[in-house]
Amino acid sequence: YVQADLADPSDAFRLIERIEKRHGSVVGIVHAAGVLDDGMMLTQTWDRFEKVMGPKVQGTEYLLAAAEELSLQYLVLCSSVVSVLGSPGQSNYGAANAVMDALAHHFCSQGQKCVSVNWGPWAAGGMATEVDASTVSAWADRGVSMIEASLGLSCMESVLIGGQAQAMVLPVDWQKFVTGFSEGT
């Protein structure tokens, strides 16, 4: 366990250095850092956007810079379905994840092995474990299921061998999901 602030470039470089010193060469990175600061657009401030952007955007850039000399077999950026589908009150989180998605496409165009995974809510672990039962129920009403660990790991394996820059993992009944929009809910 190594604690680091990925929004600080010296921490990102120190992290890679410490891992290499303890365990040998780094062959892969899974970047799963994130911070929430939800609120409706009218209440958002630039400071709140920066708080959420730091770990996602600067963290990604600094990690890649720190790992530039490494021969990475993979770089996985844990993004969110929020950047693809949106979510009320999560404009800053959606924007931060959308930038991660764009960085993955850029890194891939530069020959880097990178994928941004737009994860849906996990049943155990992750940020979704902090939501209340009514939110989980609302997701289910819209056709969205929680990602069970076995499904998530299986999808991660598929994503790693898939070769794409971006992939969304979301157990969803699309007909039910889309119907909610046409009904105005």
Side-chain angles (χ1 to χ4, degrees):
Y1 173 77
V2 177
Q3 184 174 341
D5 177 0
L6 294 181
D8 178 341
S10 61
D11 268 14
F13 280 89
R14 191 170 39 253
L15 174 68
I16 298 296
E17 189 177 89
R18 289 177 83 184
I19 291 170
E20 284 189 304
K21 188 180 279 187
R22 287 183 187 172
H23 305 288
S25 65
V26 176
V27 296
I29 296 174
V30 176
H31 175 25
V35 173
L36 292 176
D37 192 358
D38 295 351
M40 299 311 283
M41 231 5 224
L42 291 173
T43 65
Q44 287 291 353
T45 63
W46 186 245
D47 287 341
R48 291 175 75 183
F49 264 80
E50 284 181 329
K51 175 182 172 183
V52 175
M53 290 274 189
K56 293 275 187 188
V57 178
Q58 283 80 30
T60 299
E61 292 174 338
Y62 298 151
L63 267 178
L64 196 68
E68 191 172 41
E69 300 300 318
L70 305 176
S71 297
L72 291 180
Q73 294 175 18
Y74 60 89
L75 171 60
V76 177
L77 307 178
C78 292
S79 182
S80 170
V81 297
V82 172
S83 72
V84 178
L85 302 175
S87 180
Q90 292 194 307
S91 56
N92 53 5
Y93 190 65
N97 284 287
V99 173
M100 277 184 107
D101 300 342
L103 287 170
H105 285 276
H106 174 72
F107 295 153
C108 286
S109 75
Q110 302 296 311
Q112 299 283 346
K113 295 176 183 172
C114 182
V115 62
S116 185
V117 183
N118 303 103
W119 291 107
W122 282 69
M127 293 178 172
T129 59
E130 297 180 19
V131 299
D132 57 31
S134 65
T135 300
V136 174
S137 178
W139 289 339
D141 290 346
R142 296 295 302 267
V144 175
S145 301
M146 304 286 276
I147 300 171
E148 297 297 332
S150 59
L151 174 63
L153 293 174
S154 174
C155 289
M156 176 67 98
E157 183 178 358
S158 295
V159 165
L160 285 173
I161 62 173
Q164 64 274 26
Q166 184 176 359
M168 184 169 71
V169 178
L170 179 68
V172 61
D173 175 340
W174 285 109
Q175 185 171 359
K176 193 173 186 180
F177 188 83
V178 172
T179 301
F181 289 105
S182 64
E183 293 173 353
T185 58

